[in-house]
Amino acid sequence: MAGRFAVPPAPAYAALDLGTNNCRLLIGAPTASGFRVVDSFSRIVRLGEGLASTGQLAEPAMDRAVAALAACAEKLARRPIRQFQAVATEACRRAGNGAAFLARVEAETGLRPRIISAREEAELAMESCAPLLEETDRRALLFDIGGGSTEIAWIRVPPRGSRPPGASAAELIGYISLPLGVVTLAERAGASCFTEEGFHAVVEEVATHLLAFDRVHCIGQEIRAGGVRLIGTSGTVTTLAGVALALPRYRRPLVDGRTLDMGMADQALGDLFALGRAGLAAHPCVGPDRVDFVLPGCAVYAAIRHVWPLPALTVADRGLREGMLLRMMRADRWPAARATGNRRAVT
């Protein structure tokens, strides 16, 4: 008899993010507090390798990405999926052969990632990080240091009592997408980032773009008024957190949603710079696969820190995939996906 009253299992949803540096898949099922991860996949594919100089995706890079996507397709085929979304970002946006590459992906794997705009990329990052917002926040400044670009989102946080039922906890006021990511910077200035002069040259370049965005939205003035939260979502930021917390190995539950005071974050940045190439390769929160990308990413972060000197940084180990999952679940009227604003909405 007990079986007659058993609650059916929640359906699975899947989201795939094909970025300039990584290919990531996340499969999740709704829960009372958000969703639980059913399966995941992440592989460094360096799809944007050489793109800045040629304007085209290189054959070896496309081969690596297709192999990773084929592995994702195998995972998706193992279980019934209620909804699936796949997106491609900066590398495919910029490449002259981006559309042809995605046609090849579909022919060989059955998957067809949709090229999204920089605005939608910022919106998805905002969607995934909305659960980290607090009651006292008026505004949020969200940055995502990607492989081919860096997205900055300036966000309004409506008072909870003023939101219509099911409304998001965050509203996008404005955004900027800089064609400066860890891959593009590593190819152009990676070696020089290991020197103080080269590192600060990248900081100054990025800061120039940020200051123009600041003037449009008067962000500095809002920061002085209080109630502004700085949120970072990227490998750069999670690495800073891992170093700041002295983790013997990276562990997402100890990092995602953690707020660091700027003294800790600044010390971690200094520690990473002092390690040098060999030290970064040996560090448990970096490793040899990411050694060339850490300091270019840190230079972008340092520019953000310089232009917007907030007292703390909230670290988010979440991004486009989580944003897509929450959107799909909200469209299907799962309550936890609608109740953004809860710090525990993504687990």
Side-chain angles (χ1 to χ4, degrees):
M1 292 291 290
R4 290 176 55 192
F5 302 100
V7 177
Y13 296 77
L16 186 149
D17 170 18
L18 178 61
T20 302
N21 198 41
N22 292 80
C23 175
R24 299 184 178 98
L25 172 71
L26 188 63
I27 303 174
T31 67
S33 60
F35 65 82
R36 65 179 177 85
V37 175
V38 175
D39 202 352
S40 64
F41 174 90
S42 180
R43 182 180 296 174
I44 294 175
V45 295
R46 304 192 310 279
L47 179 59
E49 186 175 51
L51 174 62
S53 58
T54 66
Q56 303 285 318
L57 299 175
E59 287 294 334
M62 291 189 287
D63 291 343
R64 290 191 298 266
V66 168
L69 289 164
C72 292
E74 289 179 8
K75 282 183 174 288
L76 290 167
R78 292 174 190 164
R79 57 176 49 83
I81 302 294
R82 179 175 175 82
Q83 285 195 53
F84 169 63
Q85 290 186 11
V87 300
T89 57
E90 182 70 5
C92 290
R93 279 199 298 263
R94 291 179 58 193
N97 58 345
F101 164 67
L102 292 180
R104 173 191 167 188
V105 167
E106 184 174 28
E108 296 188 24
T109 71
L111 306 178
R112 178 77 184 212
R114 172 176 61 91
I115 299 176
I116 60 172
S117 67
R119 180 185 179 90
E120 185 171 355
E121 192 170 350
E123 289 173 339
L124 287 170
M126 179 183 72
E127 185 93 44
S128 71
C129 293
L132 300 177
L133 298 170
E134 301 266 347
E135 289 282 351
T136 55
D137 296 332
R138 295 186 308 108
R139 299 282 188 273
L141 189 62
L142 170 65
F143 64 92
D144 181 359
I145 305 170
S149 63
T150 294
E151 273 64 50
I152 310 285
W154 179 230
I155 296 164
R156 176 176 179 267
V157 185
R160 181 162 294 186
S162 69
R163 301 173 200 161
S168 174
E171 297 175 358
L172 187 64
I173 299 172
Y175 75 98
I176 185 172
S177 180
L178 310 180
L180 301 169
V182 298
V183 173
T184 51
L185 286 171
E187 290 184 353
R188 195 191 73 193
S192 66
C193 278
F194 286 88
T195 69
E196 287 193 19
E197 182 180 359
F199 186 89
H200 288 298
V202 174
V203 173
E204 291 176 7
E205 178 185 359
V206 176
T208 299
H209 293 281
L210 300 181
L211 286 167
F213 184 66
D214 179 86
R215 286 191 291 271
V216 170
H217 295 286
C218 303
I219 297 171
Q221 181 177 327
E222 293 282 0
I223 289 172
R224 289 188 290 274
V228 178
R229 178 176 297 273
L230 181 66
I231 304 176
T233 171
S234 67
T236 297
V237 176
T238 56
T239 298
L240 280 171
V243 173
L245 299 171
L247 299 182
R249 62 183 179 86
Y250 183 79
R251 293 184 59 197
R252 182 184 184 274
L254 299 179
V255 170
D256 183 51
R258 186 70 175 256
T259 295
L260 305 176
D261 68 67
M262 280 307 182
M264 290 180 68
D266 289 347
Q267 181 62 51
L269 192 154
D271 291 345
L272 283 168
F273 186 82
L275 284 172
R277 181 178 294 275
L280 290 171
H283 196 284
C285 292
V286 181
D289 289 341
R290 298 181 56 238
V291 67
D292 291 321
F293 307 129
V294 172
L295 292 185
C298 284
V300 176
Y301 164 75
I304 293 167
R305 169 83 175 91
H306 173 72
V307 174
W308 297 303
L310 283 145
L313 167 67
T314 297
V315 180
D317 188 348
R318 56 183 77 191
L320 305 190
R321 298 175 303 165
E322 289 84 356
M324 286 187 279
L325 287 180
L326 288 172
R327 277 189 174 181
M328 287 185 278
M329 292 175 190
R330 182 184 296 122
D332 279 353
R333 301 184 179 277
W334 284 95
R338 296 201 302 272
T340 54
N342 178 351
R343 289 179 66 88
R344 303 178 69 85
V346 179
T347 58

